[in-house]
């Protein structure tokens, strides 16, 4: 059981454990000791989103990294997928992003990518946790704890923030071809007051689109506040008002993308995944006619893909697990409802800007009436319920919750699906119920919610202490 890392790195309230200054420094030291290669200290790149706590966490991380001989190029405010991409392209040993993705500004986090631009495997994360929490650092190799190979880490080329940004733009532009392939499209971008605030409007304009940016004025505290992928209402209204071709919403670190059609309808990652899969199959670009979704992917997606001769594989929730399943099956396309879409022939992680560019290119290239097509889609009723919890015992083995889950699965039979799991980033149990009849789905979710609240939910005393 991992103790620091969730499904998307280390996350918490800025200034509190594990994001207090002392722990962040220990994390930096552990990363330096764990992620080097060939006996030398690593070269890393470090970036962040627009949260006011980002610079202080970056400074503490750098102190820890440098104490163990690592060198780090500072990218400033840059998206998570940009760090993953540039880490791989420019030969860094690792990339670090300070971000809490779609969370509010009080939260922050530390995401780490390997030199291949991929999330770290669980075994490496657990090794880092041991060093941070149990004092498991190897003995210092020299006085003061600086490894003798520190100069090797610093010997590579140094890239400043402006250079890194331009290299990322150049790479993104290759996704949809040369020139101005998006000319003629009117697009509204909700940048979530996050890392996409400058990047998003710039790249879409370079590629020819007429762009209206929304929520692109970060002040350190307004990231994800009433905007972005979790709150697309403003985007939908602006798309309709401007008679735009398309709206795109990003989250705080721009690794997610959701779409809004011309009628103002929100299209989640399942819609985007289907369109990309169908388009790629028709162009002979979908090896094995396989796509990876997650256990949360709606049944309509599975059925619609099947009708196109495409098979859907399901992975656990979390883009790192989607990627692992893709790599096991030599699959080039996968994603989540949340808008993490991975085009593995282009990138090793979900990239919201790339997803938006590829969707816009598909709409322009094929002449698709996105609103008319979306109106024909009939998703199965799906209820998602979050229950704050005080403890996280194994759900299936719990003497009361486990049997209740199994009873509900029997009650649903072949008419639906049920998934109960813990959040990878918050102290919550997540209940997903999906089926043919909304009333049955809602009743099942309500029964499980009540039971989980009764057995492991927060008490009034817990709520008072958390205020």
């Amino acid at each position: 059981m991992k103790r620091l890392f969730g499904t998307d790195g280390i996350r918490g309230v800025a200034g509190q454990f594990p994001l207090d200054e002392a722990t962040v420094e220990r994390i930096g030291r552990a990363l330096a000791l764990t992620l080097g290669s060939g006996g030398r200290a690593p070269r890393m790149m470090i970036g962040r989103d627009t949260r006011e706590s980002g610079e202080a966490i970056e400074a503490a991380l750098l102190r820890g990294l440098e104490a163990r001989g690592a060198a780090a190029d500072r990218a400033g405010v840059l998206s998570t997928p940009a760090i993953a991409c540039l880490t791989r392209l420019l030969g860094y040993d690792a990339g670090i992003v300070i971000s809490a993705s779609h969370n509010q500004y009080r939260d922050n986090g530390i995401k780490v990518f390997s030199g291949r631009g991929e999330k770290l495997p669980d075994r490496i994360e657990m090794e880092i946790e041991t060093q941070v929490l149990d004092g498991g650092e190897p003995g210092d190799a020299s006085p003061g704890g600086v490894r003798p190979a520190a100069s090797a880490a610093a010997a590579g080329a140094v890239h400043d923030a402006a250079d890194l940004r331009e290299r990322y733009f150049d790479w993104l532009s290759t996704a949809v071809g040369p020139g101005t392939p998006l000319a003629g499209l009117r697009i509204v971008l909700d940048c979530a007051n996050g890392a996409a605030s400058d990047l998003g409007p710039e790249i879409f304009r370079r590629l020819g689109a007429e762009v209206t940016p929304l929520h692109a004025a970060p002040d350190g505290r307004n990231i994800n506040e009433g905007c972005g992928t979790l709150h697309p209402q403003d985007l939908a209204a602006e798309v309709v008002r401007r008679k735009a071709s398309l709206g795109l919403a990003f989250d705080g670190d721009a690794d997610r993308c959701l779409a809004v059609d011309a009628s103002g309808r929100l299209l989640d990652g399942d819609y985007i995944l289907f369109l990309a899969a169908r388009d790629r199959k028709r162009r002979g670009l979908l090896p094995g006619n396989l796509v990876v979704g997650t256990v949360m992917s709606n049944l309509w997606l599975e059925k619609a893909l099947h009708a196109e001769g495409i098979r859907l594989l399901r992975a656990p929730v979390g883009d790192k697990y989607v990627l692992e399943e893709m790599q096991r099956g030599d699959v080039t396309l996968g994603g989540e409802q949340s808008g993490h879409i991975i085009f593995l022939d282009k990138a090793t992680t979900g990239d919201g800007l790339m997803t938006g560019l590829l969707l816009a290119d598909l709409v322009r290239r094929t002449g698709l009436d996105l609103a008319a097509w979306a109106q024909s889609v009939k998703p199965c009723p799906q209820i998602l319920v979050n229950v704050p919890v005080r403890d996280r015992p194994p759900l299936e083995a719990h003497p009361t919750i486990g049997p209740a889950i199994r009873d509900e699965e029997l009650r649903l039979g072949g008419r639906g699906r049920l998934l109960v799991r813990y959040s990878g980033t918050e102290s919550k149990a997540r209940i997903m119920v999906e089926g043919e009849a909304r009333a049955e789905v809602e009743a099942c979710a309500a029964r499980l919610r009540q039971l989980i609240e009764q057995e492991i939910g927060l008490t009034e005393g817990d709520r008072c202490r958390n205020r």
Side-chain angles (χ1 to χ4, degrees):
M1 180 80 64
K2 291 188 289 185
R3 296 174 287 168
L4 286 178
F5 286 88
T7 56
D8 201 18
I10 298 169
R11 193 171 295 184
V13 178
Q16 299 179 20
F17 178 86
L19 297 181
D20 58 287
E21 183 177 339
T23 305
V24 172
E25 284 195 34
R26 288 200 299 274
I27 292 169
R29 291 198 296 271
L31 292 175
L33 292 168
T34 304
L35 299 179
S37 61
R40 63 171 178 79
R43 287 185 61 245
M44 300 187 181
M45 176 168 46
I46 184 167
R48 51 187 166 80
D49 66 22
T50 58
R51 292 163 214 270
E52 65 179 12
S53 59
E55 291 188 57
I57 293 174
E58 178 183 74
L61 262 179
L62 286 169
R63 286 194 295 273
L65 291 168
E66 292 167 359
R68 289 297 181 265
D73 286 350
R74 299 167 67 175
V77 173
L78 202 59
S79 68
T80 289
I83 297 294
C85 164
L86 295 170
T87 295
R88 175 174 55 88
L89 292 181
L90 299 179
Y92 288 91
D93 294 297
I96 303 172
V97 186
I98 300 165
S99 174
S101 189
H102 58 281
N103 287 24
Q104 295 299 299
Y105 84 93
R106 293 179 183 84
D107 294 333
N108 216 323
I110 299 170
K111 305 183 187 187
V112 188
F113 293 95
S114 72
R116 296 174 58 185
E118 299 172 2
K119 300 280 181 69
L120 299 180
D122 290 346
R123 62 178 181 81
I124 299 297
E125 290 181 343
M126 293 175 74
E127 182 180 340
I128 292 167
E129 288 178 343
T130 297
Q131 293 182 27
V132 173
L133 299 176
D134 303 330
E137 292 186 10
D140 291 342
S142 66
V146 177
R147 301 170 79 180
S151 59
V158 175
H159 301 280
D160 64 20
D163 176 41
L164 292 169
R165 174 190 169 98
E166 278 304 311
R167 285 171 180 261
Y168 178 58
F169 278 148
D170 289 345
W171 176 80
L172 266 184
S173 298
T174 66
V176 291
T180 54
L182 303 185
L185 289 182
R186 184 182 298 126
I187 300 176
V188 182
L189 301 181
D190 183 341
C191 301
N193 291 314
S197 294
D198 291 328
L199 297 175
E202 176 70 15
I203 187 61
F204 277 85
R205 284 172 178 148
R206 287 190 187 192
L207 295 175
E210 179 185 331
V211 176
T212 299
L214 289 181
H215 303 295
D219 64 8
R221 295 191 171 196
N222 60 1
I223 187 171
N224 300 314
E225 184 179 5
C227 57
T229 54
L230 293 184
H231 306 282
Q233 298 88 345
D234 288 356
L235 174 63
E238 191 68 11
V239 167
V240 172
R241 189 177 77 82
R242 290 186 174 270
K243 296 182 171 58
S245 316
L246 177 68
L248 298 170
F250 308 110
D251 63 339
D253 66 339
D255 61 354
R256 301 185 187 192
C257 176
L258 300 181
V260 168
D261 68 27
S263 74
R265 180 187 292 105
L266 178 67
L267 309 182
D268 66 20
D270 284 351
Y271 289 78
I272 297 171
L273 196 58
F274 174 80
L275 288 174
R278 184 178 68 175
D279 180 62
R280 285 182 159 226
K281 182 175 185 290
R282 291 176 177 178
R283 293 192 290 152
L285 300 175
L286 193 70
N289 293 330
L290 294 171
V291 170
V292 174
T294 75
V295 292
M296 299 293 289
S297 299
N298 196 282
L299 277 173
W300 84 261
L301 174 64
E302 187 169 358
K303 292 176 180 179
L305 287 173
H306 179 76
E308 295 285 338
I310 302 169
R311 182 182 169 204
L312 177 70
L313 306 177
R314 292 184 185 269
V317 173
D319 60 323
K320 70 180 289 184
Y321 302 117
V322 171
L323 176 61
E324 289 173 1
E325 183 67 26
M326 292 173 70
Q327 292 172 327
R328 273 193 293 271
D330 195 26
V331 181
T332 60
L333 178 64
E336 302 184 273
Q337 281 181 330
S338 62
H340 283 124
I341 309 296
I342 301 174
F343 299 89
L344 193 52
D345 55 342
K346 299 181 181 297
T348 54
T349 188
D351 187 325
L353 294 177
M354 172 175 283
T355 298
L357 289 172
L358 290 173
L359 179 60
D361 178 64
L362 184 156
V363 168
R364 181 207 55 79
R365 176 169 39 82
T366 65
L368 175 69
D369 185 335
L370 191 61
W373 169 78
Q375 189 174 19
S376 71
V377 175
K378 305 299 180 188
C380 293
Q382 188 181 80
I383 301 295
L384 303 176
V385 178
N386 293 317
V387 184
V389 295
R390 63 181 183 274
D391 298 308
R392 294 166 62 105
L395 292 167
E396 290 291 336
H398 190 278
T400 305
I401 298 172
I405 292 173
R406 291 186 283 276
D407 287 346
E408 294 294 347
E409 288 173 333
L410 288 172
R411 199 179 263 126
L412 283 171
R415 299 181 304 280
R417 297 190 306 124
L418 168 64
L419 174 67
V420 185
R421 65 180 182 88
Y422 291 116
S423 166
T425 58
E426 301 174 273
S427 295
K428 293 179 180 178
R430 301 202 192 280
I431 303 166
M432 186 284 291
V433 190
E434 180 180 70
E436 298 172 357
R438 177 166 290 277
E440 183 178 31
V441 165
E442 290 176 344
C444 174
R447 286 191 294 268
L448 285 173
R449 177 178 191 161
Q450 183 178 24
L451 180 63
I452 291 174
E453 285 177 338
Q454 174 184 312
E455 295 294 325
I456 58 174
L458 292 180
T459 65
E460 188 57 37
D462 294 325
R463 293 188 178 91
C464 289
R465 284 191 293 272
N466 290 338
R467 290 193 185 112

